[in-house]
Amino acid sequence: HSVAASEYNARRAQCEAAIARLAPSLERESPGRRVTALRDVQAADLARHAALLDATMLRRARHVVSEIERTLLAATALRAGNVEALGALLNASHASLRDDYAVSGPQLDAAVEIARESPGVLGARMMGAGFGGSIIALVRREGAAGLRARLTTEYPRLTGLRGAVITCAITGKMGFSAMEYSA
């Protein structure tokens, strides 16, 4: 966990450095606008001011800004019962965590890919602070047993490690399960 803690602190510092560079320009553009954290930045702001950031800061900021947007879209999808949209958001979130925030790893990526390739899976992403841990997969009830079987056989074959599957059913009319796999 010490490596994860130090990497987490590095990500936080990179985001703080990005906001320190972005805030003055964004506040000058819109007098009265307060920009104190990445929650105050939109994707269009990042696009306009990308040159202010080095490549790493831009990736970290892009992850945070896009993850906030995905969270809002996920809430809308849940209220509407749109599980396909929710699955797509989970997939996009994992890609951002892997590529922009760089907190995934080969074992988590393997578990996500196994899940995504399983019939009935709508989406999957790592969860937690990263650098190991678990994934969550949104899977239709009829696909849950198949996903469990694939994770139990394919994950050890690909990684040499064993994980644990925890299935929880989401009640109501939506007809799907969430499945956690500790990699």
Side-chain angles (χ1 to χ4, degrees):
H1 289 295
S2 62
V3 171
S6 66
E7 287 300 320
Y8 174 82
N9 290 334
R11 298 304 181 278
R12 183 181 174 114
Q14 291 158 346
C15 289
E16 289 168 354
I19 200 64
R21 288 192 186 179
L22 291 168
S25 294
L26 294 174
E27 290 174 353
R28 269 194 307 277
E29 275 182 356
S30 303
R33 179 180 182 185
R34 281 202 43 146
V35 179
T36 60
L38 286 171
R39 70 176 168 269
D40 304 319
V41 177
Q42 302 297 314
D45 297 329
L46 279 179
R48 279 194 321 279
H49 298 286
L52 296 174
L53 307 176
D54 68 33
T56 300
M57 280 190 283
L58 179 60
R59 285 192 310 275
R60 304 306 187 246
R62 183 174 50 226
H63 166 71
V64 172
V65 169
S66 65
E67 191 73 354
I68 290 167
E69 179 65 19
R70 279 188 293 277
T71 302
L72 297 172
L73 292 170
T76 300
L78 279 169
R79 281 191 294 276
N82 188 344
V83 294
E84 288 80 11
L86 184 58
L89 291 165
L90 289 172
N91 290 335
S93 180
H94 184 76
S96 182
L97 286 160
R98 181 192 63 222
D99 301 336
D100 284 341
Y101 216 55
V103 294
S104 189
Q107 292 87 4
L108 289 171
D109 293 342
V112 165
E113 285 308 309
I114 291 165
R116 286 184 186 166
E117 293 168 359
S118 297
V121 172
L122 300 166
R125 70 172 288 236
M126 62 160 281
M127 53 189 243
F131 308 104
S134 301
I135 69 159
I136 185 166
L138 182 64
V139 57
R140 295 191 183 282
R141 284 188 184 120
E142 63 271 12
L147 175 56
R148 175 184 291 277
R150 289 193 71 212
L151 284 169
T152 342
T153 59
E154 292 181 36
Y155 183 78
R157 183 180 56 77
L158 290 172
T159 66
L161 303 169
R162 292 198 182 282
V165 178
I166 301 168
T167 304
C168 50
I170 299 169
T171 60
K173 299 177 185 176
M174 296 173 94
F176 60 93
S177 297
M179 190 172 286
E180 176 185 338
Y181 187 71
S182 296

